[in-house]
Amino acid sequence: MFDMKKVLMAVGLILLMPLALCLAGETGDRLSKESVIEKIQKDKVIRVGMSTFVPWAMKDKQGKLVGFEIDVARQLAKDMGVDVEFVPTAWSGIIPALMTGKFDVIIGGMGITAQRNLKVNFTTPYDYSGMSMVAHRKKAQGFSSLADFNKKDVNVAVRMGTTAEQAARKFLPKASLRLFENESQALQELNLGRVHAVVSSAPMPVFHALKYPDKLFVPLEENFTKEPIGFAIRKGDPDAVNFFNNWIINQHASGFLKEKKAFWFESRDWEDLVK
Amino acid sequence: MKHKKNILAASVFTAVLILAVVIGYKNLSYNWQWYRVAPYFFSFENGRFVAGVLLQGVWITFKISAISLVLALVTGMVSAFARLSPYVSLRVLAWCYVETIRNTPLLIQIFVIYFVISPVLDLSAFTSAVIALSLFEGAYSSEIIRSGIINIPKGQFEAAQSIGLPVFATYYKVVVPQMLRQTLPMLAGQSVSLIKDSALVSTISIYDLTMQGQKIVSETFLTFEIWFAVALCYLSITATLSFIIRRIETRMRFVN
């Protein structure tokens, strides 16, 4: 049974598809032509891409987002006179999500690296973070330097796509890496004693070792890297870089960033919020 | 006449589809860098062939799928016979296994086996993955095999009994060959599913094809290029398998 009417209708619909795609395709040009700062003001909302990282961003007991990044993004929205909308995204896909316009900016403790900078633009640093390590007492007994972990039979768990993964590759090239999508899975692996250590940005490893003092310990006294943390935005948007840079410089000067950092990274006053 | 119209409609449809893809490809504000993909497949160091990480991933995916496929068929076979056995306890056991596995997501099964069960038994990630995949696909194969056995005419069993074939020989020489001939297309579909489902083992940090893809993407952000390449790898594995099974099918048709 061949129904000409139906076929014609189908063909008509399909012919409209490229048109729709053309219109969709224009977003690409539009994104580069007009600044995201304009868009934020028009929409009266700034959409922030982030991912859960203790204590940068986490859920409190009521399920509300709290953390260092969250405070920074809320203050930024307040200063711009707009609302803030957080878009939780899997860390490994956060840069492609920014590039395809799923949100306006990444404020998520993202370390500024050359490889990332080829795909997105970064603001001036609003924070510095460093890599630290938490290890299993039994498995990594007596380990106290990077060299101890840099051995063939050592397993290290890290979160995929993070600077922790890159640092582990760079400083522990001989160790075998176990990559997980979430921090919690990597830590679970450590608690079960299936890996010797987890590498992650400070202060998480120290906090985790304090939680399980009889099972875990912190093998290195100092962080073994220092990395600048910036907002990430799409390329080709000088207005946004300028606006965010100056906002960050202002917040450094006013002491806001310092105060927030002290609260989230040096004190443990916020533990009651999330437990 | 009708035939010509059909061909015309089909070719218009295909042309429009290709046009749509091309326009979408061009308009996506994304800088395509296909030239960076090749080294991840293979490279030559001082004239020697070196397999890239994607090829290593293909090998791991192949290994996991092959082992799981054999185990899944064995599990499916055992469970199908258990469901048809005269003993109630066996029937209930097999029914519980099939229903539990079929009605829960594979991802959760992998997590339960790897994070909950395997620390107790001290299993490696690879073993956990193989167990999870075999159990999952085995449950589906079990139902396929059971339907194949049920569909064999009763006369076949009676004939085998009347010439005095022992039970084992009845199954081995009469039931299983006929069951296979009927269920092979469905089992083929199931094995293709198994290969695609094996992508989920990347979540427990096994360096299969999907994991290697994720790793490259997280380092280089060649998001679309790498995922297309990975999809192509899966397609080539599953297409090869389908082709082999098609050959077996035509062979079986002429066996009497």
Side-chain angles (χ1 to χ4, degrees):
Chain A
M1 284 308 294
F2 179 71
D3 190 343
M4 197 63 202
K5 252 191 205 161
K6 275 189 182 160
V7 170
L8 279 175
M9 235 165 74
V11 169
L13 276 176
I14 292 158
L15 282 171
L16 286 174
M17 244 168 62
L19 190 71
L21 275 168
C22 279
L23 290 174
E26 265 193 12
T27 26
D29 300 339
R30 221 177 47 226
L31 286 176
S32 56
K33 270 186 199 130
E34 67 175 64
S35 173
V36 77
I37 300 292
E38 272 303 304
K39 193 179 142 296
I40 292 167
Q41 286 169 298
K42 259 192 212 134
D43 297 349
K44 295 221 173 8
V45 65
I46 178 168
R47 292 173 310 148
V48 177
M50 40 68 73
S51 186
T52 308
F53 262 110
V54 179
W56 280 269
M58 51 207 164
K59 287 245 166 77
D60 70 0
K61 278 179 291 197
Q62 285 84 43
K64 228 177 77 210
L65 282 166
V66 293
F68 176 72
E69 302 290 348
I70 306 297
D71 284 354
V72 170
R74 288 217 165 100
Q75 186 61 41
L76 174 68
K78 208 166 123 191
D79 292 348
M80 289 179 89
V82 295
D83 289 331
V84 62
E85 183 195 321
F86 291 104
V87 185
T89 309
W91 189 253
S92 52
I94 202 163
I95 285 193
L98 173 72
M99 286 160 72
T100 48
K102 301 270 182 287
F103 38 75
D104 307 320
V105 56
I106 297 173
I107 304 179
M110 185 172 267
I112 301 172
T113 68
Q115 198 54 266
R116 284 173 181 160
N117 215 161
L118 291 172
K119 294 279 175 187
V120 296
N121 284 350
F122 283 105
T123 59
T124 190
Y126 62 100
D127 180 28
Y128 285 89
S129 123
M131 282 303 148
S132 150
M133 208 191 265
V134 52
H136 196 267
R137 272 194 195 283
K138 265 211 198 93
K139 271 198 92 134
Q141 211 172 359
F143 286 26
S144 61
S145 70
L146 280 174
D148 291 335
F149 287 94
N150 189 17
K151 290 188 189 118
K152 232 190 152 145
D153 53 353
V154 172
N155 287 313
V156 176
V158 287
R159 187 172 177 181
M160 204 187 312
T162 55
T163 42
E165 186 196 334
Q166 289 168 4
R169 272 186 214 294
K170 189 173 158 190
F171 290 94
L172 310 168
K174 287 187 188 137
S176 42
L177 290 193
R178 316 261 298 121
L179 306 176
F180 291 94
E181 182 64 61
N182 289 310
E183 204 90 273
S184 55
Q185 289 170 334
L187 293 171
Q188 179 67 19
E189 203 68 349
L190 178 70
N191 290 354
L192 289 170
R194 286 202 279 222
V195 291
H196 292 73
V198 166
V199 174
S200 179
S201 295
M204 195 285 295
V206 177
F207 287 173
H208 196 67
L210 286 171
K211 237 192 245 171
Y212 304 96
D214 49 348
K215 225 195 239 172
L216 310 174
F217 73 108
V218 178
L220 310 175
E221 282 170 20
E222 296 280 313
N223 295 347
F224 59 94
T225 63
K226 183 180 187 209
E227 41 188 71
I229 306 283
F231 298 178
I233 36 196
R234 281 181 290 272
K235 288 213 165 278
D237 192 346
D239 293 11
V241 178
N242 181 278
F243 180 89
F244 289 136
N245 275 350
N246 290 324
W247 184 85
I248 288 166
I249 291 166
N250 267 322
Q251 298 312 316
H252 275 304
S254 72
F256 167 81
L257 286 169
K258 201 171 169 185
E259 171 201 332
K260 287 292 168 197
K261 176 132 189 158
F263 176 76
W264 290 106
F265 291 77
E266 280 131 45
S267 85
R268 307 286 301 277
D269 304 346
W270 49 268
E271 290 253 298
D272 301 338
L273 289 175
V274 289
K275 269 211 183 104
Chain B
M1 192 62 217
K2 235 183 213 180
H3 185 65
K4 267 196 181 148
K5 266 188 193 164
N6 268 341
I7 289 183
L8 183 75
S11 44
V12 166
F13 178 82
T14 318
V16 168
L17 204 64
I18 290 170
L19 191 69
V21 169
V22 168
I23 290 174
Y25 183 96
K26 286 262 192 287
N27 270 334
L28 189 67
S29 59
Y30 182 82
N31 178 15
W32 295 91
Q33 298 177 306
W34 285 104
Y35 58 90
R36 288 175 66 184
V37 175
Y40 293 110
F41 280 104
F42 57 85
S43 52
F44 290 98
E45 281 173 24
N46 345 326
R48 270 180 50 244
F49 176 88
V50 181
V53 287
L54 278 182
L55 272 193
Q56 292 168 16
V58 167
W59 170 238
I60 298 283
T61 290
F62 179 78
K63 219 162 58 171
I64 284 201
S65 307
I67 299 171
S68 307
L69 185 59
V70 173
L71 289 176
L73 287 177
V74 172
T75 318
M77 203 69 107
V78 170
S79 147
F81 283 126
R83 285 206 58 179
L84 296 166
S85 83
Y87 306 105
V88 177
S89 55
L90 271 184
R91 285 208 300 266
V92 170
L93 206 67
W95 180 84
C96 284
Y97 154 68
V98 169
E99 292 309 315
T100 316
I101 299 280
R102 282 203 314 173
N103 294 307
T104 50
L106 174 59
L107 182 64
I108 302 207
Q109 290 170 25
I110 291 175
F111 279 160
V112 167
I113 289 178
Y114 183 63
F115 285 112
V116 182
I117 298 172
S118 87
V120 182
L121 304 171
D122 199 26
L123 306 169
S124 70
F126 189 89
T127 316
S128 310
V130 166
I131 290 172
L133 276 175
S134 309
L135 286 179
F136 185 77
E137 308 295 338
Y140 285 90
S141 328
S142 161
E143 289 301 275
I144 293 171
I145 291 167
R146 192 172 65 98
S147 73
I149 294 172
I150 288 174
N151 281 332
I152 294 170
K154 217 174 163 185
Q156 296 283 333
F157 289 90
E158 288 163 358
Q161 264 178 342
S162 66
I163 58 167
L165 270 185
V167 173
F168 180 76
T170 305
Y171 276 106
Y172 178 70
K173 291 204 159 100
V174 179
V175 177
V176 172
Q178 296 190 64
M179 178 275 292
L180 271 183
R181 198 179 306 176
Q182 281 193 335
T183 56
L184 211 54
M186 288 183 271
L187 288 174
Q190 206 49 53
S191 27
V192 167
S193 286
L194 186 145
I195 291 169
K196 291 184 298 181
D197 289 340
S198 76
L200 282 174
V201 305
S202 61
T203 53
I204 55 171
S205 196
I206 290 174
Y207 284 69
D208 74 325
L209 185 49
T210 302
M211 180 70 164
Q212 296 286 17
Q214 272 176 319
K215 216 177 76 188
I216 300 168
V217 168
S218 74
E219 281 169 28
T220 61
F221 305 110
L222 294 168
T223 317
F224 297 106
E225 293 92 332
I226 294 293
W227 287 129
F228 276 130
V230 166
L232 211 64
C233 290
Y234 275 110
L235 187 64
S236 54
I237 299 174
T238 50
T240 314
L241 183 74
S242 302
F243 175 75
I244 293 169
I245 295 179
R246 189 81 39 81
R247 289 291 297 272
I248 298 174
E249 261 179 64
T250 46
R251 266 250 185 92
M252 285 190 93
R253 234 164 264 157
F254 300 110
V255 174
N256 282 320

